[in-house]
Amino acid sequence: QEYLVESGGGLVQAGASLRLSCAASGRAANSHAMGWFRQAPGKEREFIASVSWSGESTQYAEFPKGRFIISRDNAKNLVYLQLNNLAPEDTAVYFCAALWTPYRSRTSKKDYEYDYWGQGTQVTVAS
């Protein structure tokens, strides 16, 4: 059984920071690039960031503008998304996803390329 479990969401004030975690197990834990996406009410799911399974390469959407940082700890099968200087428009459910690849430096911003998804963690930013 492969699965992803996100944690670390919550209710914060504008300007605060959060660190989201994604725990991977089973097949999702090995040789997978990882991505973070989010979906706000009434909006489509959007790409945030991706990290290669080696950790050497990262890819970001434009909108975080340096506020969000993706990283991973392969020894612990964890992927993180550091969220800084949060704003009300960052309110959404945040999802992590895993993409199997034989290429150590591959990342992807395309949600349809990902094989496994977590259930999501809610981030709510109050003004």
Side-chain angles (χ1 to χ4, degrees):
Q1 185 78 23
E2 49 278 327
Y3 63 88
L4 302 171
V5 179
E6 303 93 337
S7 61
L11 171 63
V12 297
Q13 295 294 314
S17 297
L18 283 174
R19 189 177 78 160
L20 307 183
S21 299
C22 174
S25 67
R27 294 180 180 178
N30 301 308
S31 300
H32 284 76
M34 300 296 293
W36 283 97
F37 294 77
R38 71 182 186 182
Q39 188 166 21
K43 295 187 178 181
E44 293 187 353
R45 183 167 57 194
E46 65 177 339
F47 168 74
I48 302 171
S50 177
V51 60
S52 63
W53 65 255
S54 68
E56 296 171 347
S57 300
T58 57
Q59 182 181 16
Y60 291 91
E62 281 200 27
F63 73 85
K65 296 182 180 179
R67 297 184 297 125
F68 298 172
I69 302 169
I70 191 170
S71 61
R72 67 188 299 161
D73 183 339
N74 286 342
K76 297 180 179 178
N77 290 333
L78 289 170
V79 180
Y80 304 103
L81 186 67
Q82 178 69 37
L83 309 175
N84 297 319
N85 193 22
L86 284 161
E89 53 265 34
D90 294 317
T91 295
V93 178
Y94 285 68
F95 299 91
C96 69
L99 181 163
W100 184 88
T101 176
Y103 304 110
R104 60 185 290 116
S105 297
R106 184 184 176 193
T107 60
S108 176
K109 61 180 180 180
K110 301 174 183 177
D111 59 358
Y112 59 83
E113 293 187 336
Y114 285 82
D115 303 298
Y116 309 112
W117 290 82
Q119 293 300 306
T121 185
Q122 176 71 46
V123 173
T124 303
V125 185
S127 58

